[in-house]
Amino acid sequence: MAIRKTLIGLFVATLGILSAPADAKAISLSYLETDQAFKNLNVDLLFVAEGRIGSSNNSTYELDLHDDTGSTNFTVQKQQELTGSNYWQSGRVDAFTLAYDALTKIVTYKVGNQTLAYDYTSKFTQGVTDIFVRTRANNTNSSMTVKDLLLKDASGTKSIAETSSVSCTLSPNCTTWSKDANGNIFEDVKGGVQYLRIGDVSGSFSLTGNSIMSWTGKIPTQSNLAYQIKVGTTDDWKNQQSVPEPSATLGLTLGAIALGLKTRRRRQSV
């Protein structure tokens, strides 16, 4: 009788696992205030979408999709000039859309009337889990803001009230170039960078939002005023993969029930 009650209890627990709805994991939001803090996360960076002013003579890109090939180097996959050297206007709101298809591995990035698309099939080894919205303002009296974010992924649609926004108030700028003991040159950004981390992203996604570049005086050029959307996976997500899935737990439970029934029959036949 005791064995029978135990088996019934296991069976009921198994039904609970089967009937329980799979909870859609909520995204997590947090901030990073330096590039070093981002590097410390050891992110496997899959791709980056960028928007920046470029230059006054249209000699450098203003939109691009690239992938990381090291701590300081990257390979540009697609780049695009916007319409005219004066496309960006101080204080104007510019909409963007970044989309990733988990099935085709195609990334699409749209700003204004320009759309960049690239097939990252050969570069993806795992899914996307984290999006980092990085804003940078290097010139004095300039600011960069990304706001009004709306994320759609496999778990649903989320409106994100948090913004990634930074202003540079230092003179002559917010960046110091230095050399370490080995003579390597590195960039120390002081107060001119902010990351908004969107964690626990699942499956395909689209991220829409608005960007605002503002400045007084001379127009900043190239990446002195820019935003980046960095997409990849982190060690946090990798560690979670060792946790058994509900289906695995279910299999163990059913196995225990079957073994218990078999043992009970043997005892009854003795």
Side-chain angles (χ1 to χ4, degrees), residues 4 10 23 31 36 47 62 75 77 95-96 119 148 151 157 163 172 192 200 228 249:
R4 184 179 181 182
L10 285 171
D23 292 333
Y31 282 100
Q36 187 59 52
F47 63 90
E62 297 178 49
T75 301
Q77 304 300 342
F96 68 84
D119 184 346
D148 305 325
L151 175 68
T157 301
T163 66
D200 299 309
Q228 293 178 323
T249 304

Coordinates of all heavy atoms in Angstrom, one line a residue, residues 4 10 23 31 36 47 62 75 77 95-96 119 148 151 157 163 172 192 200 228 249:
R4 N 2.3 1.9 -3.4 CA 1.2 2.4 -4.3 C 1.0 3.9 -4.1 O 0.9 4.6 -5.0 CB 0.0 1.6 -4.0 CG -1.2 2.0 -5.0 CD -2.4 1.2 -4.7 NE -3.5 1.6 -5.6 CZ -4.7 1.0 -5.6 NH1 -5.0 0.1 -4.7 NH2 -5.6 1.4 -6.4
L10 N 4.1 10.3 -7.2 CA 5.0 10.7 -8.3 C 4.2 10.9 -9.6 O 4.6 11.8 -10.4 CB 6.0 9.5 -8.6 CG 7.1 9.3 -7.6 CD1 7.8 8.0 -7.8 CD2 8.1 10.5 -7.6
D23 N 6.6 29.3 -18.5 CA 6.7 30.7 -18.2 C 7.6 31.4 -19.2 O 8.7 31.0 -19.5 CB 7.2 31.0 -16.8 CG 6.2 30.5 -15.7 OD1 5.0 30.5 -16.0 OD2 6.7 30.1 -14.6
Y31 N 22.6 48.6 -16.2 CA 23.5 49.6 -16.9 C 24.9 49.3 -16.7 O 25.3 48.7 -15.6 CB 23.2 51.0 -16.3 CG 21.9 51.6 -16.9 CD1 20.7 51.6 -16.1 CD2 21.9 52.2 -18.1 CE1 19.6 52.2 -16.6 CE2 20.7 52.8 -18.6 CZ 19.6 52.8 -17.9 OH 18.4 53.4 -18.4
Q36 N 35.2 49.1 -20.1 CA 35.9 48.1 -19.4 C 34.9 47.2 -18.7 O 35.0 45.9 -18.7 CB 36.8 48.7 -18.4 CG 37.7 47.6 -17.7 CD 38.6 46.8 -18.7 OE1 39.3 47.4 -19.5 NE2 38.5 45.5 -18.6
F47 N 27.2 40.3 -33.5 CA 27.2 41.4 -34.5 C 26.9 42.7 -33.8 O 26.4 42.7 -32.7 CB 26.1 41.1 -35.6 CG 24.7 41.0 -35.1 CD1 23.9 42.2 -35.1 CD2 24.1 39.8 -34.8 CE1 22.6 42.1 -34.7 CE2 22.8 39.8 -34.4 CZ 22.0 40.9 -34.3
E62 N 28.3 56.0 -42.2 CA 27.4 56.5 -41.1 C 26.6 55.4 -40.5 O 26.1 55.5 -39.4 CB 26.5 57.6 -41.6 CG 27.4 58.8 -42.1 CD 26.5 59.9 -42.7 OE1 25.5 60.3 -42.0 OE2 26.8 60.4 -43.8
T75 N 35.4 43.5 -38.3 CA 35.3 43.4 -39.8 C 33.9 44.0 -40.1 O 32.9 43.4 -39.7 CB 35.4 42.0 -40.2 OG1 36.7 41.5 -39.8 CG2 35.2 41.9 -41.7
Q77 N 30.8 44.3 -42.3 CA 30.1 43.4 -43.3 C 29.3 44.2 -44.3 O 29.3 43.9 -45.4 CB 29.2 42.4 -42.5 CG 29.9 41.6 -41.5 CD 31.0 40.7 -42.1 OE1 31.1 40.5 -43.3 NE2 31.9 40.3 -41.3
A95 N 14.4 57.4 -36.2 CA 13.9 56.0 -35.8 C 14.8 55.0 -36.4 O 15.4 55.2 -37.5 CB 12.5 55.8 -36.3
F96 N 14.9 53.8 -35.8 CA 15.7 52.7 -36.3 C 15.0 51.4 -36.0 O 14.2 51.3 -35.1 CB 17.2 52.7 -35.7 CG 17.2 52.4 -34.2 CD1 17.2 51.1 -33.8 CD2 17.2 53.4 -33.3 CE1 17.2 50.8 -32.4 CE2 17.3 53.1 -31.9 CZ 17.2 51.8 -31.5
D119 N 23.8 38.1 -44.0 CA 23.6 36.7 -43.6 C 24.7 36.3 -42.7 O 25.9 36.1 -43.2 CB 23.5 35.9 -44.9 CG 23.1 34.4 -44.5 OD1 23.2 34.0 -43.3 OD2 22.8 33.6 -45.5
D148 N 12.8 55.1 -26.2 CA 11.5 54.6 -26.8 C 11.7 53.2 -27.4 O 11.2 52.8 -28.5 CB 11.0 55.5 -27.9 CG 10.8 56.9 -27.4 OD1 10.4 57.1 -26.2 OD2 11.0 57.9 -28.2
L151 N 11.0 45.9 -27.8 CA 11.6 44.6 -28.1 C 10.5 43.5 -28.3 O 9.6 43.3 -27.5 CB 12.5 44.2 -27.0 CG 13.2 42.8 -27.2 CD1 14.1 42.8 -28.4 CD2 13.9 42.3 -25.9
T157 N 6.2 40.8 -26.5 CA 6.6 42.2 -26.8 C 6.8 42.9 -25.5 O 5.9 42.9 -24.6 CB 5.5 42.8 -27.6 OG1 5.3 42.1 -28.8 CG2 5.8 44.3 -28.0
T163 N 16.5 54.2 -20.9 CA 17.2 54.8 -22.1 C 18.7 54.6 -21.9 O 19.2 54.3 -20.8 CB 16.9 56.3 -22.2 OG1 17.5 57.0 -21.1 CG2 15.4 56.6 -22.3
P172 N 39.1 69.2 -23.2 CA 38.5 69.4 -24.5 C 37.6 68.3 -25.0 O 36.8 68.5 -25.9 CB 39.8 69.5 -25.4 CG 40.7 68.6 -24.7 CD 40.5 68.8 -23.2
G192 N 31.8 59.6 -21.0 CA 31.2 59.7 -22.3 C 30.6 58.5 -22.9 O 30.3 58.4 -24.1
D200 N 18.4 38.2 -21.2 CA 17.4 37.1 -21.3 C 16.6 37.2 -22.6 O 15.4 37.0 -22.5 CB 16.6 37.1 -20.1 CG 17.4 36.8 -18.8 OD1 18.2 35.8 -18.8 OD2 17.3 37.5 -17.8
Q228 N 25.7 52.3 -30.7 CA 25.9 50.9 -31.2 C 25.0 50.0 -30.5 O 24.6 50.2 -29.3 CB 27.4 50.5 -30.9 CG 28.5 51.2 -31.7 CD 29.8 50.7 -31.3 OE1 30.1 50.3 -30.1 NE2 30.7 50.6 -32.3
T249 N 13.7 16.3 -16.5 CA 13.2 15.9 -15.2 C 11.9 15.0 -15.3 O 11.7 14.1 -14.6 CB 12.8 17.2 -14.4 OG1 13.9 18.1 -14.4 CG2 12.3 16.9 -13.0

